[in-house]
Amino acid sequence: MHLSRDVVLLITHSGDFFTIDRVAEALAKKGAQPFRLDTDKFPLEVQLTAHFDKSKSYHRLEYGTHSISTEQVQAVWMRRIWEPKLSKELAPQFREACLRESQATLDGFWDSLKGANWVDDLERINVAHNKLRQLRVASEVGFTIPQTLVTNKAESAREFFHQVNGKMVSKLLTALSHTMESTSFFLYTSTVKEEDLLDAESLRYCPMVFQEQIPKQLELRVVYVNGKVFVGALDAGVYAASKADWRKPGVDVGAWQHHELPDELVRRLQAFMGKFGLLFGALDFILTPSGEYVFLEVNPTGEWGMVERDLDLPISSAIADTLIS
């Protein structure tokens, strides 16, 4: 079946639900034709063909009963790119080659869509993922940020621990593989105790991020869509005993609440996202008991479904508007 109307390509994976469905529904209501591409289904269930000759190139994608060509795609929502699901029975070297070739083929397909309206551009997403760059830009636009140390030197980590009076958390600069088990002490933002640093020599193999632990009244998930801001707040007291990170599976976070950011913070947020050239981002802030907003990080493809679901915020509609504008 060929799709003829303006196609909006939704890049995701087969385990994705709710947010992807809400955006697809919003697009359909606005007269666009959503086309869902589950990247983990390539190459086994998705067929991709690229022809190049002297004057032009031609790309066609087939998934199930539907097919599209590059020329039909008006916009692209970059939600998730997942690793292909390949048989465990493949020889490891052959499997690795298949993964590399599949990724390179997809990269070529993304390149063929460079004339479409992306939310967001892949290169900009990759630049924005760097958490140290985020902290630098956050300071430049006037956000308050936590005192932060990145080091592979155990002695420096111990000194910083005493500098912040023993109120310290650790985190990673990069996301671990989505297939990784969530049992590691360092997978989520974790509170650091003095005994954790007694044997910190393993830092010489892998630098880590240490930050002062910010006192919390509320934790905020701020969803930015093309200048608009949608906010969900969690009462930090509800889950204070459950470790440092509300995103950890199994943590009962209580109910999401509506929250309005001060105008000045919204202006800084718009400037921050403008510096990265991003139309979308899911940002984390802490509101301290003294009323100060502290920036933690932005995820350029972060989660927002729980905020839309619980607070009935029109985030999916705003994303759809941005795609077809």
Side-chain angles (χ1 to χ4, degrees):
M1 179 177 161
H2 295 273
L3 305 178
S4 57
R5 287 189 290 160
D6 290 351
V7 172
V8 179
L9 181 65
L10 311 179
I11 302 174
T12 186
H13 63 95
S14 57
D16 198 10
F17 65 98
F18 188 77
T19 48
I20 191 82
D21 299 327
R22 292 295 282 259
V23 171
E25 287 165 17
L27 285 165
K29 279 182 190 168
K30 296 172 194 292
Q33 175 67 64
F35 185 100
R36 174 176 177 157
L37 171 59
D38 293 318
T39 49
D40 56 320
K41 298 289 190 181
F42 179 76
L44 290 184
E45 294 176 49
V46 176
Q47 288 78 49
L48 221 171
T49 306
H51 285 165
F52 296 85
D53 63 28
K54 288 178 183 174
S55 58
K56 61 184 176 64
S57 62
Y58 177 81
H59 293 73
R60 178 158 291 284
L61 181 76
E62 298 170 73
Y63 185 18
T65 58
H66 295 90
S67 70
I68 54 167
S69 67
T70 295
E71 293 75 31
Q72 293 171 276
V73 179
Q74 305 298 310
V76 182
W77 184 34
M78 220 327 287
R79 163 103 175 119
R80 289 283 187 276
I81 296 176
W82 223 244
E83 193 174 90
K85 286 179 184 164
L86 294 174
S87 171
K88 296 281 193 288
E89 294 167 13
L90 287 172
Q93 285 170 306
F94 184 59
R95 190 172 186 276
E96 286 303 312
C98 291
L99 288 174
R100 284 197 311 273
E101 291 301 302
S102 296
Q103 185 59 61
T105 303
L106 280 179
D107 285 344
F109 183 58
W110 310 146
D111 180 68
S112 77
L113 296 165
K114 62 182 181 297
N117 177 34
W118 283 69
V119 178
D120 268 300
D121 178 88
L122 268 170
E123 290 180 10
R124 290 178 180 175
I125 287 173
N126 290 335
V127 166
H129 266 305
N130 186 294
K131 289 186 169 63
L132 302 185
R133 187 178 287 118
Q134 291 179 19
L135 289 173
R136 174 179 62 76
V137 175
S139 290
E140 287 174 4
V141 301
F143 284 147
T144 300
I145 62 171
Q147 282 190 76
T148 303
L149 173 78
V150 185
T151 189
N152 63 338
K153 188 178 174 186
E155 190 52 43
S156 296
R158 294 188 195 105
E159 287 172 9
F160 187 70
F161 182 84
H162 294 294
Q163 188 182 324
V164 296
N165 301 314
K167 300 285 189 185
M168 185 164 98
V169 296
S170 66
K171 57 171 68 171
L172 295 169
L173 280 177
T174 58
L176 292 175
S177 162
H178 60 262
T179 58
M180 207 144 180
E181 293 296 323
S182 57
T183 52
S184 162
F185 172 75
F186 288 129
L187 184 52
Y188 295 91
T189 301
S190 305
T191 306
V192 179
K193 302 184 182 68
E194 191 154 24
E195 55 264 33
D196 296 324
L197 295 172
L198 291 175
D199 184 28
E201 298 307 321
S202 61
L203 281 174
R204 62 193 281 227
Y205 300 107
C206 180
M208 284 205 68
V209 184
F210 300 99
Q211 285 185 328
E212 63 173 316
Q213 190 165 23
I214 305 296
K216 306 170 187 175
Q217 179 178 323
L218 297 176
E219 289 211 48
L220 306 177
R221 171 51 59 101
V222 178
V223 183
Y224 175 96
V225 187
N226 197 22
K228 294 181 179 174
V229 173
F230 307 90
V231 188
L234 292 173
D235 182 345
V238 170
Y239 65 102
S242 67
K243 301 234 185 206
D245 198 329
W246 61 265
R247 294 164 296 188
K248 194 168 185 176
V251 173
D252 181 9
V253 298
W256 287 94
Q257 309 164 19
H258 288 280
H259 185 84
E260 193 163 339
L261 298 178
D263 290 344
E264 181 57 34
L265 194 76
V266 172
R267 282 193 290 273
R268 286 176 182 163
L269 178 52
Q270 290 165 337
F272 176 84
M273 296 299 284
K275 279 180 177 280
F276 285 109
L278 292 175
L279 295 167
F280 174 87
L283 302 97
D284 291 327
F285 285 84
I286 288 171
L287 179 62
T288 69
S290 64
E292 187 173 39
Y293 289 88
V294 180
F295 168 88
L296 296 181
E297 62 183 76
V298 60
N299 185 334
T301 57
E303 294 298 338
W304 48 268
M306 63 289 188
V307 179
E308 171 155 326
R309 181 193 63 213
D310 293 0
L311 301 178
D312 200 29
L313 294 171
I315 300 169
S316 54
S317 181
I319 291 171
D321 283 336
T322 304
L323 285 163
I324 60 179
S325 63

